Amino acid sequence: MKKKILVIHTGGTISMMEDPTGSVIPGSENPLIAQTSQLESMAELHVVEPFHLPSPHVTPKEMMELKLIIENEYSSNGVEGVVITHGTDTLEETAYFLDLTVKAPIPIVVTGAMRSSNEIGADGLYNLMSSIRVASCEEAIDKGVLVVLNDEIHTAKNVTKTHTSNVSTFQSPQYGPIGIVTKRGVVFHHSPTYKECYDINGISNKVSLIKAYAGLDSSLFHAIKELDYDGVVVEALGQGNLPPASVEGIKALIEKNIPVVLVSRCFNGIAQDIYGYEGGGKDLRDHGVIFSNGLNGQKARLKLLIALSHTKEIDEIRKIFAH
């Protein structure tokens, strides 16, 4: 019996076309809509297109809209799986947002393409087919939101875009994919060990993301404080260290009860409180900085946005980032 799969098209390269000048642009219609109808032998497909945006135009507002669509379709129409087509630039962020917030206990797969629909070697339709197969798979249940491209299955938490144009751009540094899609079937060889979900009704807070560099001072942190941001994520150096000139600004934010979350700008390893010198990880933790357990900067920012929608208590936010 075919599974009832909700397919949500949101735009991105997977739905665009290359014009005669070589520019990749959205057309008046999404060519993927017609292509999706070719796949109805795979599952009972219900297709919606709530918006048609390049992924740099996607914000937490659109992510929240997707969450509500999925939960409504699950409760009202009994969909058994979801596939979302999405531009690749912010795909990992939308996937992780949904991983942290969607309450429907069904497989949710996010996919995209690195080549537009009319380019030679276009990968969009193939990735969509693979994603429908994964979303229809019993083994995909309870594995959180998954990202499927190029025959690989990744978790939303670990996957990231690693190359500007290569079709194998999506990788999970340090962890690797948790499964593969073959001609014979869908094969999982790992499972996530922890699932978290937060009950939120909207996203209204402002969280900034700063990347540390040699000579970073406190001026940006003071500006963030004056602009009434609700939180800040810092991609720190190495294992979680910052230049000493930035510490004053960090302390000023914390004194104003603005949470400061630290991740590493390295794409392998996690930030830790190892070094005790001024600006070192231990010094920063002593000042009240929150350490994140292995997230990259863009995902830590989303998690802090969600955490702030869930609670304003710094100690509770610290517990949320311990996982």
Side-chain angles (χ1 to χ4, degrees), residues 47-294:
V47 181
V48 298
E49 187 182 37
F51 47 85
H52 189 189
L53 296 172
S55 66
H57 296 192
V58 173
T59 71
K61 173 181 172 290
E62 284 75 32
M63 298 176 194
M64 190 72 189
E65 184 177 350
L66 292 176
K67 163 189 155 61
L68 296 175
I69 290 171
I70 293 168
E71 291 175 344
N72 180 65
E73 289 288 339
Y74 171 71
S75 60
S76 301
N77 298 320
V79 297
E80 298 168 275
V82 178
V83 174
I84 301 168
T85 65
H86 196 287
T88 59
D89 285 351
T90 60
L91 185 153
E92 65 189 86
E93 291 172 74
T94 294
Y96 189 55
F97 180 94
L98 298 175
D99 191 52
L100 291 176
T101 60
V102 173
K103 290 178 281 188
I106 54 177
I108 299 171
V109 178
V110 188
T111 191
M114 295 304 292
R115 296 174 183 151
S116 57
S117 61
N118 63 337
E119 287 185 71
I120 294 173
D123 52 330
L125 184 59
Y126 183 84
N127 286 335
L128 177 58
M129 291 171 59
S130 296
S131 298
I132 291 172
R133 292 175 67 192
V134 173
S136 304
C137 174
E138 289 293 321
E139 290 78 7
I141 298 172
D142 293 329
K143 287 185 170 60
V145 174
L146 302 171
V147 171
V148 174
L149 292 95
N150 206 38
D151 287 334
E152 293 184 337
I153 308 168
H154 296 264
T155 64
K157 181 177 181 179
N158 295 324
V159 76
T160 192
K161 188 174 182 179
T162 65
H163 194 285
T164 57
S165 58
N166 196 300
V167 293
S168 62
T169 179
F170 282 95
Q171 303 291 329
S172 295
Q174 193 165 253
Y175 302 101
I178 66 167
I180 57 174
V181 183
T182 73
K183 291 186 182 297
R184 303 295 183 206
V186 176
V187 180
F188 286 94
H189 47 72
H190 290 95
S191 291
T193 58
Y194 180 79
K195 181 74 175 79
E196 54 188 324
C197 186
Y198 301 98
D199 189 12
I200 62 169
N201 297 314
I203 295 289
S204 59
N205 296 290
K206 295 196 301 181
V207 174
S208 180
L209 173 60
I210 291 178
K211 188 165 191 168
Y213 52 84
L216 174 68
D217 62 18
S218 291
S219 55
L220 287 174
F221 299 112
H222 286 306
I224 288 169
K225 184 184 72 171
E226 295 305 317
L227 290 169
D228 289 326
Y229 271 73
D230 301 290
V232 60
V233 173
V234 184
E235 289 189 5
L237 309 172
Q239 290 194 63
N241 311 306
L242 293 174
S246 67
V247 174
E248 180 194 348
I250 294 281
K251 289 167 64 177
L253 288 170
I254 293 169
E255 287 168 4
K256 197 178 176 183
N257 209 39
I258 299 172
V260 178
V261 173
L262 207 71
V263 303
S264 176
R265 71 179 193 180
C266 302
F267 62 85
N268 276 315
I270 63 175
Q272 300 179 85
D273 55 338
I274 302 298
Y275 290 94
Y277 53 74
E278 186 181 9
K282 187 176 185 305
D283 179 58
L284 295 171
R285 186 184 285 278
D286 289 344
H287 289 311
V289 170
I290 298 167
F291 280 67
S292 177
N293 191 13

